Amino acid sequence: MTSPPGGDPPRHILVLGGTGEARALAQRLDALPGLRVTSSLAGRVRAPAALPGAVRVGGFGGPEGLAAWLSGHGVHALADATHPFAATVSAHAATAAEATGIPLVLLRRPGWRETTGDRWQWVASLTEAAARLADRPPARVLLTTGRGGLAAFAALHRHHFLVRAVETPRPPLPPHTEILLDRGPYTLEAERALLRRHRVDVLVTKDSGGAATAPKLTAAREQGLPVLVVRRPEPPPGVPLAATVAQAVHRLRQAVRVAHAD
Ligand code: NAP
């Protein structure tokens, strides 16, 4: 972080994080002259990877709390780089940005695309995924939807679940559950081996997008496995979108220049 020419104080950007893209964005912004970055984490993961710049942890207390934080900490622009399924915090960011007039950029990686050979079934929610599984004969299910919301599967006593998550999920869980604590990125080779070793019959995933966790989809395609894919929530309306870290950097730099000129 350095001061911009003319001795103006650095522009402050708050990055709402919890994703690899958020970390990459914070790194890129932190390296630019005239900017200072604070990353915000929800505090769900006990040992998050190191981040450049300042870091704050924990909820803000709803959109009003976030708006107060933005105003109270001299934030010039807000970057929402949270996970595509973190819909609540994204809605709060949109509300707080509107209330304060602070520019907001939403960094949202594109969703995954089905390709020839895929056996995907799109579902609207974890509840719908569980309902689809309930219709199937007993199966070995790899569940990679994170540690939240697993109660939706708790009544499925005929299936065996292999739940892969960064942190141990809390009950209620399905009665036949094996936990695999792991964190991406994953390689195709390792995903192929995992599906074979655990004799997986069906994969359940959110449409998280991104390269870090995509190899499981390739491995499932190669092995002819069906995949239940949970559709993403819509992003808040009217918020400028960036699909890549580079686009987000560009938009944020424009935003702080405009904000500065006002
Ligand atoms: P959520 O349901 O959208 O948010 C719930 C509450 O958590 C928010 O209202 C906010 O509390 C707080 N919060 C969430 N993200 C925050 C952040 N970056 N900084 C400060 N407070 C935050 O979120 P979630 O789905 O539980 O996800 C929590 C975090 O895990 C996010 O940072 C997200 O990027 C990351 N993550 C989520 C998923 C997923 O599948 N949902 C996957 C990977 C990583 P207040 O209202 O009190 O401000």
Side-chain angles (χ1 to χ4, degrees):
M1 179 199 75
T2 56
S3 291
D8 289 339
R11 307 282 157 258
H12 187 192
I13 299 183
L14 177 66
V15 177
L16 300 175
T19 60
E21 284 87 353
R23 188 178 319 113
L25 178 62
Q27 278 160 353
R28 290 279 300 274
L29 294 171
D30 189 64
L32 291 172
L35 297 181
R36 74 184 174 96
V37 181
T38 301
S39 291
S40 175
L41 301 174
R44 306 275 197 276
V45 176
R46 266 194 298 272
L51 286 159
V55 178
R56 66 158 304 284
V57 181
F60 294 93
E64 301 81 10
L66 176 55
W69 202 98
L70 295 173
S71 305
H73 291 78
V75 172
H76 296 87
L78 175 60
D80 176 1
T82 58
H83 191 270
F85 280 80
T88 304
V89 69
S90 290
H92 291 180
T95 305
E98 198 173 341
T100 55
I102 290 169
L104 167 65
V105 172
L106 174 59
L107 171 55
R108 180 120 315 169
R109 60 176 97 131
W112 287 315
R113 292 258 176 94
E114 236 169 315
T115 184
T116 312
D118 280 328
R119 294 178 59 204
W120 293 8
Q121 290 172 45
W122 288 91
V123 291
S125 62
L126 293 179
T127 307
E128 192 187 334
R132 297 281 183 100
L133 288 175
D135 293 340
R136 286 177 171 269
R140 297 179 61 85
V141 183
L142 173 59
L143 206 51
T144 62
T145 52
R147 68 169 171 159
L150 299 184
F153 302 91
L156 300 181
H157 52 87
R158 290 186 304 134
H159 300 312
H160 177 278
F161 287 88
L162 177 64
V163 174
R164 182 166 70 185
V166 177
E167 305 250 324
T168 307
R170 275 188 288 270
L173 299 171
H176 309 295
T177 296
E178 198 178 332
I179 309 287
L180 181 60
L181 293 182
D182 207 349
R183 184 198 298 247
Y186 302 103
T187 65
L188 178 55
E189 205 176 325
E191 296 295 59
R192 283 174 179 143
L194 179 84
L195 296 183
R196 289 218 172 87
R197 190 166 62 251
H198 290 273
R199 292 176 286 117
V200 171
D201 299 308
V202 53
L203 168 65
V204 184
T205 179
K206 291 174 175 172
D207 177 21
S208 298
T213 57
K216 64 187 171 192
L217 298 168
T218 308
R221 183 191 318 132
E222 288 175 354
Q223 295 179 30
L225 301 183
V227 183
L228 295 174
V229 186
V230 183
R231 227 178 270 287
R232 305 170 155 208
E234 288 294 319
V239 176
L241 279 169
T244 63
V245 170
Q247 274 176 22
V249 170
H250 178 71
R251 282 181 172 271
L252 287 162
R253 291 184 82 180
Q254 279 184 328
V256 293
R257 262 206 300 274
V258 170
H260 179 47
D262 282 346

